[in-house]
Amino acid sequence: MCATQKLNGFMSESQKSGVSFFNANVTLIISVSLVLLLFGIVGVMGIAGVNLTRYVKENIGFDIVLKESADEHQVNALKQYLNKAPFVSSVRYVSKEDALAEWEKETGENLIATLGVNPLSAEFEVNVKSEYASVDSLNAICAAIAQGPAVDEINIQRDLIEKVNENMRHAAIVLGAVALILLIISVALINNTVRLSVYSKRFLIHTMKLVGATSGFIRRPFIRANIINGIIAGILANLLLAVALYYTLQLSDELAWVVSPEEVGCVMGAVVLCGILLCWIATLFAANKYLRLDYDALFKR
């Protein structure tokens, strides 16, 4: 009877230990996955911000108004130059007839009937690449183009360019600051969560030291277990991120172009890698801490 009671007591303790270990792992995985979800959201927002900035800047440019005397050869030469120029993202030629048709469509006014002639000039509408969307760059570009024989004048929306660049700069600073704060919080939360999981095994670490186990042998199971936990947490975080993106896209289909599937895939891969890396580093530091402590110190920390 006594042996049976001891056996039952041992099994009960083993079951409790197993349940405690399971609960600790579940808590760790959930905590880390929520932190990694936050990291993934910041990553997607950062990419969306970069893409949106590029889109806005590449819709900025200038208009080249052509001279009335410009012949077809001069116009074609300028068109070829613009199509090959490294600073151009898109170029559109608007003839006098096209300009008149657009005017009538927008205003409903027939200039030919009113004035007897078409007063509008042919022009090129040029959008530049994002890295050239600044007043200084456009001034230098337009100064060279203005020397062409077909060019009458060049109109640059300087106020709009400066306003857009200023707003984008402020948005980048705010987003960068938020990302940095969230990154610091994420690292601290993951470190504390992993440290608590190792802390609960500190007496086991001490016992293994007493029987002659090396530091590497003691660290290995903790690191392996928490790397697996980091992978599971990363996958769970990616599932939550995918659900959040899905419902966000349901609100507006126009948001789909802001972040491509390939970019989302890169963010998800980075989330899993961060889960592995952060859990590995946190476990390494936590295990090393308790490896250095003597028995009495285990009760104080």
mmCIF file of all heavy atoms in Angstrom, residues 247-280:
data_model
loop_
_atom_site.group_PDB
_atom_site.id
_atom_site.type_symbol
_atom_site.label_atom_id
_atom_site.label_comp_id
_atom_site.label_asym_id
_atom_site.label_seq_id
_atom_site.Cartn_x
_atom_site.Cartn_y
_atom_site.Cartn_z
ATOM 1 N N TYR A 247 -8.712 41.407 -43.601
ATOM 2 C CA TYR A 247 -9.864 42.240 -43.250
ATOM 3 C C TYR A 247 -9.613 43.717 -43.576
ATOM 4 O O TYR A 247 -10.552 44.456 -43.874
ATOM 5 C CB TYR A 247 -10.201 42.070 -41.774
ATOM 6 C CG TYR A 247 -10.979 40.795 -41.503
ATOM 7 C CD1 TYR A 247 -10.365 39.705 -40.904
ATOM 8 C CD2 TYR A 247 -12.307 40.683 -41.881
ATOM 9 C CE1 TYR A 247 -11.072 38.523 -40.675
ATOM 10 C CE2 TYR A 247 -13.021 39.513 -41.658
ATOM 11 C CZ TYR A 247 -12.400 38.435 -41.058
ATOM 12 O OH TYR A 247 -13.091 37.280 -40.847
ATOM 13 N N THR A 248 -8.344 44.124 -43.546
ATOM 14 C CA THR A 248 -8.025 45.496 -43.953
ATOM 15 C C THR A 248 -8.297 45.699 -45.433
ATOM 16 O O THR A 248 -8.855 46.727 -45.844
ATOM 17 C CB THR A 248 -6.551 45.817 -43.652
ATOM 18 O OG1 THR A 248 -6.313 45.677 -42.244
ATOM 19 C CG2 THR A 248 -6.205 47.243 -44.069
ATOM 20 N N LEU A 249 -7.933 44.702 -46.255
ATOM 21 C CA LEU A 249 -8.166 44.800 -47.696
ATOM 22 C C LEU A 249 -9.650 44.723 -48.030
ATOM 23 O O LEU A 249 -10.075 45.223 -49.074
ATOM 24 C CB LEU A 249 -7.414 43.691 -48.427
ATOM 25 C CG LEU A 249 -5.881 43.797 -48.403
ATOM 26 C CD1 LEU A 249 -5.257 42.614 -49.113
ATOM 27 C CD2 LEU A 249 -5.418 45.099 -49.038
ATOM 28 N N GLN A 250 -10.435 44.082 -47.163
ATOM 29 C CA GLN A 250 -11.874 44.038 -47.398
ATOM 30 C C GLN A 250 -12.501 45.425 -47.279
ATOM 31 O O GLN A 250 -13.537 45.704 -47.881
ATOM 32 C CB GLN A 250 -12.550 43.088 -46.394
ATOM 33 C CG GLN A 250 -12.138 41.632 -46.540
ATOM 34 C CD GLN A 250 -12.391 41.088 -47.925
ATOM 35 O OE1 GLN A 250 -13.505 41.159 -48.436
ATOM 36 N NE2 GLN A 250 -11.357 40.551 -48.552
ATOM 37 N N LEU A 251 -11.856 46.293 -46.491
ATOM 38 C CA LEU A 251 -12.380 47.647 -46.322
ATOM 39 C C LEU A 251 -12.209 48.467 -47.594
ATOM 40 O O LEU A 251 -13.046 49.299 -47.927
ATOM 41 C CB LEU A 251 -11.669 48.340 -45.151
ATOM 42 C CG LEU A 251 -11.852 47.691 -43.776
ATOM 43 C CD1 LEU A 251 -11.022 48.429 -42.733
ATOM 44 C CD2 LEU A 251 -13.325 47.690 -43.370
ATOM 45 N N SER A 252 -11.090 48.219 -48.305
ATOM 46 C CA SER A 252 -10.837 48.963 -49.542
ATOM 47 C C SER A 252 -9.877 48.166 -50.416
ATOM 48 O O SER A 252 -8.760 47.848 -49.987
ATOM 49 C CB SER A 252 -10.239 50.345 -49.234
ATOM 50 O OG SER A 252 -9.887 51.018 -50.425
ATOM 51 N N ASP A 253 -10.298 47.847 -51.645
ATOM 52 C CA ASP A 253 -9.432 47.128 -52.584
ATOM 53 C C ASP A 253 -8.252 47.976 -53.035
ATOM 54 O O ASP A 253 -7.237 47.451 -53.481
ATOM 55 C CB ASP A 253 -10.233 46.688 -53.813
ATOM 56 C CG ASP A 253 -11.287 45.649 -53.451
ATOM 57 O OD1 ASP A 253 -11.104 44.968 -52.418
ATOM 58 O OD2 ASP A 253 -12.279 45.522 -54.193
ATOM 59 N N GLU A 254 -8.384 49.292 -52.920
ATOM 60 C CA GLU A 254 -7.327 50.190 -53.382
ATOM 61 C C GLU A 254 -6.065 50.092 -52.517
ATOM 62 O O GLU A 254 -4.995 50.537 -52.928
ATOM 63 C CB GLU A 254 -7.828 51.632 -53.397
ATOM 64 C CG GLU A 254 -8.970 51.870 -54.387
ATOM 65 C CD GLU A 254 -9.455 53.300 -54.368
ATOM 66 O OE1 GLU A 254 -8.945 54.074 -53.528
ATOM 67 O OE2 GLU A 254 -10.323 53.639 -55.180
ATOM 68 N N LEU A 255 -6.201 49.515 -51.314
ATOM 69 C CA LEU A 255 -5.038 49.378 -50.440
ATOM 70 C C LEU A 255 -4.105 48.259 -50.896
ATOM 71 O O LEU A 255 -2.979 48.167 -50.411
ATOM 72 C CB LEU A 255 -5.497 49.105 -49.006
ATOM 73 C CG LEU A 255 -6.308 50.212 -48.320
ATOM 74 C CD1 LEU A 255 -6.801 49.733 -46.967
ATOM 75 C CD2 LEU A 255 -5.469 51.474 -48.164
ATOM 76 N N ALA A 256 -4.564 47.419 -51.834
ATOM 77 C CA ALA A 256 -3.778 46.246 -52.238
ATOM 78 C C ALA A 256 -2.462 46.644 -52.898
ATOM 79 O O ALA A 256 -1.457 45.928 -52.762
ATOM 80 C CB ALA A 256 -4.601 45.373 -53.182
ATOM 81 N N TRP A 257 -2.432 47.757 -53.619
ATOM 82 C CA TRP A 257 -1.211 48.144 -54.317
ATOM 83 C C TRP A 257 -0.152 48.713 -53.384
ATOM 84 O O TRP A 257 1.036 48.787 -53.752
ATOM 85 C CB TRP A 257 -1.528 49.187 -55.399
ATOM 86 C CG TRP A 257 -1.946 50.524 -54.839
ATOM 87 C CD1 TRP A 257 -3.207 50.929 -54.581
ATOM 88 C CD2 TRP A 257 -1.097 51.607 -54.454
ATOM 89 N NE1 TRP A 257 -3.211 52.200 -54.057
ATOM 90 C CE2 TRP A 257 -1.921 52.646 -53.971
ATOM 91 C CE3 TRP A 257 0.279 51.807 -54.468
ATOM 92 C CZ2 TRP A 257 -1.427 53.848 -53.504
ATOM 93 C CZ3 TRP A 257 0.781 53.017 -54.005
ATOM 94 C CH2 TRP A 257 -0.055 54.015 -53.540
ATOM 95 N N VAL A 258 -0.543 49.116 -52.182
ATOM 96 C CA VAL A 258 0.409 49.753 -51.264
ATOM 97 C C VAL A 258 1.481 48.768 -50.813
ATOM 98 O O VAL A 258 2.658 49.132 -50.679
ATOM 99 C CB VAL A 258 -0.333 50.340 -50.043
ATOM 100 C CG1 VAL A 258 0.652 50.980 -49.087
ATOM 101 C CG2 VAL A 258 -1.364 51.363 -50.500
ATOM 102 N N VAL A 259 1.099 47.512 -50.571
ATOM 103 C CA VAL A 259 2.052 46.473 -50.178
ATOM 104 C C VAL A 259 1.798 45.247 -51.042
ATOM 105 O O VAL A 259 0.686 44.722 -51.068
ATOM 106 C CB VAL A 259 1.907 46.101 -48.681
ATOM 107 C CG1 VAL A 259 2.950 45.071 -48.295
ATOM 108 C CG2 VAL A 259 2.040 47.328 -47.804
ATOM 109 N N SER A 260 2.821 44.773 -51.734
ATOM 110 C CA SER A 260 2.668 43.619 -52.610
ATOM 111 C C SER A 260 2.729 42.323 -51.807
ATOM 112 O O SER A 260 3.270 42.289 -50.693
ATOM 113 C CB SER A 260 3.779 43.629 -53.668
ATOM 114 O OG SER A 260 5.043 43.386 -53.059
ATOM 115 N N PRO A 261 2.203 41.217 -52.361
ATOM 116 C CA PRO A 261 2.305 39.922 -51.673
ATOM 117 C C PRO A 261 3.745 39.510 -51.402
ATOM 118 O O PRO A 261 4.029 38.883 -50.373
ATOM 119 C CB PRO A 261 1.621 38.958 -52.660
ATOM 120 C CG PRO A 261 0.678 39.814 -53.444
ATOM 121 C CD PRO A 261 1.368 41.142 -53.571
ATOM 122 N N GLU A 262 4.651 39.848 -52.324
ATOM 123 C CA GLU A 262 6.061 39.503 -52.112
ATOM 124 C C GLU A 262 6.629 40.235 -50.900
ATOM 125 O O GLU A 262 7.398 39.655 -50.107
ATOM 126 C CB GLU A 262 6.890 39.861 -53.359
ATOM 127 C CG GLU A 262 6.578 39.023 -54.589
ATOM 128 C CD GLU A 262 5.312 39.465 -55.297
ATOM 129 O OE1 GLU A 262 4.772 40.553 -54.950
ATOM 130 O OE2 GLU A 262 4.838 38.726 -56.192
ATOM 131 N N GLU A 263 6.250 41.495 -50.746
ATOM 132 C CA GLU A 263 6.733 42.271 -49.599
ATOM 133 C C GLU A 263 6.145 41.753 -48.288
ATOM 134 O O GLU A 263 6.833 41.690 -47.264
ATOM 135 C CB GLU A 263 6.388 43.752 -49.805
ATOM 136 C CG GLU A 263 7.197 44.399 -50.915
ATOM 137 C CD GLU A 263 6.687 45.778 -51.301
ATOM 138 O OE1 GLU A 263 5.467 46.028 -51.158
ATOM 139 O OE2 GLU A 263 7.487 46.605 -51.764
ATOM 140 N N VAL A 264 4.866 41.359 -48.326
ATOM 141 C CA VAL A 264 4.256 40.757 -47.134
ATOM 142 C C VAL A 264 4.964 39.457 -46.778
ATOM 143 O O VAL A 264 5.216 39.164 -45.602
ATOM 144 C CB VAL A 264 2.750 40.506 -47.363
ATOM 145 C CG1 VAL A 264 2.159 39.717 -46.194
ATOM 146 C CG2 VAL A 264 2.010 41.825 -47.529
ATOM 147 N N GLY A 265 5.319 38.666 -47.799
ATOM 148 C CA GLY A 265 6.055 37.435 -47.564
ATOM 149 C C GLY A 265 7.402 37.684 -46.914
ATOM 150 O O GLY A 265 7.825 36.933 -46.017
ATOM 151 N N CYS A 266 8.088 38.741 -47.349
ATOM 152 C CA CYS A 266 9.382 39.099 -46.741
ATOM 153 C C CYS A 266 9.201 39.484 -45.275
ATOM 154 O O CYS A 266 10.018 39.114 -44.417
ATOM 155 C CB CYS A 266 10.025 40.250 -47.518
ATOM 156 S SG CYS A 266 10.621 39.781 -49.157
ATOM 157 N N VAL A 267 8.146 40.243 -44.981
ATOM 158 C CA VAL A 267 7.873 40.629 -43.592
ATOM 159 C C VAL A 267 7.595 39.389 -42.744
ATOM 160 O O VAL A 267 8.110 39.261 -41.619
ATOM 161 C CB VAL A 267 6.684 41.608 -43.518
ATOM 162 C CG1 VAL A 267 6.265 41.833 -42.072
ATOM 163 C CG2 VAL A 267 7.049 42.941 -44.154
ATOM 164 N N MET A 268 6.812 38.464 -43.272
ATOM 165 C CA MET A 268 6.489 37.255 -42.513
ATOM 166 C C MET A 268 7.731 36.408 -42.264
ATOM 167 O O MET A 268 7.900 35.831 -41.179
ATOM 168 C CB MET A 268 5.420 36.442 -43.254
ATOM 169 C CG MET A 268 4.048 37.084 -43.243
ATOM 170 S SD MET A 268 2.787 36.056 -44.044
ATOM 171 C CE MET A 268 1.298 36.975 -43.611
ATOM 172 N N GLY A 269 8.597 36.330 -43.269
ATOM 173 C CA GLY A 269 9.858 35.617 -43.064
ATOM 174 C C GLY A 269 10.711 36.283 -41.996
ATOM 175 O O GLY A 269 11.323 35.603 -41.153
ATOM 176 N N ALA A 270 10.736 37.614 -42.022
ATOM 177 C CA ALA A 270 11.496 38.356 -41.013
ATOM 178 C C ALA A 270 10.909 38.162 -39.621
ATOM 179 O O ALA A 270 11.656 38.110 -38.625
ATOM 180 C CB ALA A 270 11.515 39.847 -41.369
ATOM 181 N N VAL A 271 9.585 38.036 -39.532
ATOM 182 C CA VAL A 271 8.931 37.815 -38.233
ATOM 183 C C VAL A 271 9.394 36.492 -37.623
ATOM 184 O O VAL A 271 9.739 36.421 -36.441
ATOM 185 C CB VAL A 271 7.392 37.834 -38.392
ATOM 186 C CG1 VAL A 271 6.714 37.258 -37.156
ATOM 187 C CG2 VAL A 271 6.900 39.254 -38.630
ATOM 188 N N VAL A 272 9.409 35.434 -38.434
ATOM 189 C CA VAL A 272 9.852 34.128 -37.929
ATOM 190 C C VAL A 272 11.329 34.173 -37.538
ATOM 191 O O VAL A 272 11.725 33.663 -36.472
ATOM 192 C CB VAL A 272 9.610 33.034 -38.986
ATOM 193 C CG1 VAL A 272 10.184 31.692 -38.516
ATOM 194 C CG2 VAL A 272 8.124 32.877 -39.272
ATOM 195 N N LEU A 273 12.153 34.802 -38.376
ATOM 196 C CA LEU A 273 13.582 34.905 -38.063
ATOM 197 C C LEU A 273 13.812 35.700 -36.779
ATOM 198 O O LEU A 273 14.678 35.344 -35.964
ATOM 199 C CB LEU A 273 14.329 35.558 -39.228
ATOM 200 C CG LEU A 273 14.480 34.707 -40.489
ATOM 201 C CD1 LEU A 273 15.169 35.502 -41.593
ATOM 202 C CD2 LEU A 273 15.277 33.438 -40.191
ATOM 203 N N CYS A 274 13.036 36.766 -36.604
ATOM 204 C CA CYS A 274 13.164 37.560 -35.378
ATOM 205 C C CYS A 274 12.741 36.743 -34.155
ATOM 206 O O CYS A 274 13.352 36.853 -33.092
ATOM 207 C CB CYS A 274 12.313 38.830 -35.477
ATOM 208 S SG CYS A 274 13.051 40.112 -36.486
ATOM 209 N N GLY A 275 11.690 35.935 -34.321
ATOM 210 C CA GLY A 275 11.277 35.075 -33.222
ATOM 211 C C GLY A 275 12.375 34.117 -32.816
ATOM 212 O O GLY A 275 12.660 33.929 -31.621
ATOM 213 N N ILE A 276 13.029 33.516 -33.806
ATOM 214 C CA ILE A 276 14.130 32.587 -33.528
ATOM 215 C C ILE A 276 15.302 33.317 -32.886
ATOM 216 O O ILE A 276 15.841 32.890 -31.856
ATOM 217 C CB ILE A 276 14.584 31.896 -34.831
ATOM 218 C CG1 ILE A 276 13.462 31.018 -35.386
ATOM 219 C CG2 ILE A 276 15.845 31.079 -34.599
ATOM 220 C CD1 ILE A 276 13.747 30.459 -36.760
ATOM 221 N N LEU A 277 15.697 34.434 -33.501
ATOM 222 C CA LEU A 277 16.880 35.159 -33.037
ATOM 223 C C LEU A 277 16.693 35.727 -31.632
ATOM 224 O O LEU A 277 17.570 35.566 -30.757
ATOM 225 C CB LEU A 277 17.204 36.283 -34.023
ATOM 226 C CG LEU A 277 18.464 37.110 -33.740
ATOM 227 C CD1 LEU A 277 19.694 36.225 -33.788
ATOM 228 C CD2 LEU A 277 18.591 38.258 -34.733
ATOM 229 N N LEU A 278 15.556 36.377 -31.408
ATOM 230 C CA LEU A 278 15.322 37.001 -30.101
ATOM 231 C C LEU A 278 15.186 35.950 -28.996
ATOM 232 O O LEU A 278 15.717 36.135 -27.890
ATOM 233 C CB LEU A 278 14.079 37.882 -30.159
ATOM 234 C CG LEU A 278 14.195 39.139 -31.030
ATOM 235 C CD1 LEU A 278 12.862 39.863 -31.114
ATOM 236 C CD2 LEU A 278 15.261 40.078 -30.496
ATOM 237 N N CYS A 279 14.500 34.855 -29.282
ATOM 238 C CA CYS A 279 14.372 33.786 -28.270
ATOM 239 C C CYS A 279 15.725 33.137 -27.986
ATOM 240 O O CYS A 279 16.029 32.811 -26.835
ATOM 241 C CB CYS A 279 13.364 32.738 -28.737
ATOM 242 S SG CYS A 279 11.640 33.266 -28.626
ATOM 243 N N TRP A 280 16.522 32.950 -29.019
ATOM 244 C CA TRP A 280 17.856 32.358 -28.833
ATOM 245 C C TRP A 280 18.743 33.256 -27.983
ATOM 246 O O TRP A 280 19.386 32.801 -27.031
ATOM 247 C CB TRP A 280 18.500 32.103 -30.190
ATOM 248 C CG TRP A 280 19.929 31.651 -30.093
ATOM 249 C CD1 TRP A 280 20.384 30.449 -29.612
ATOM 250 C CD2 TRP A 280 21.088 32.399 -30.456
ATOM 251 N NE1 TRP A 280 21.750 30.408 -29.660
ATOM 252 C CE2 TRP A 280 22.217 31.588 -30.178
ATOM 253 C CE3 TRP A 280 21.291 33.674 -31.000
ATOM 254 C CZ2 TRP A 280 23.524 32.017 -30.426
ATOM 255 C CZ3 TRP A 280 22.587 34.086 -31.245
ATOM 256 C CH2 TRP A 280 23.683 33.271 -30.956
#
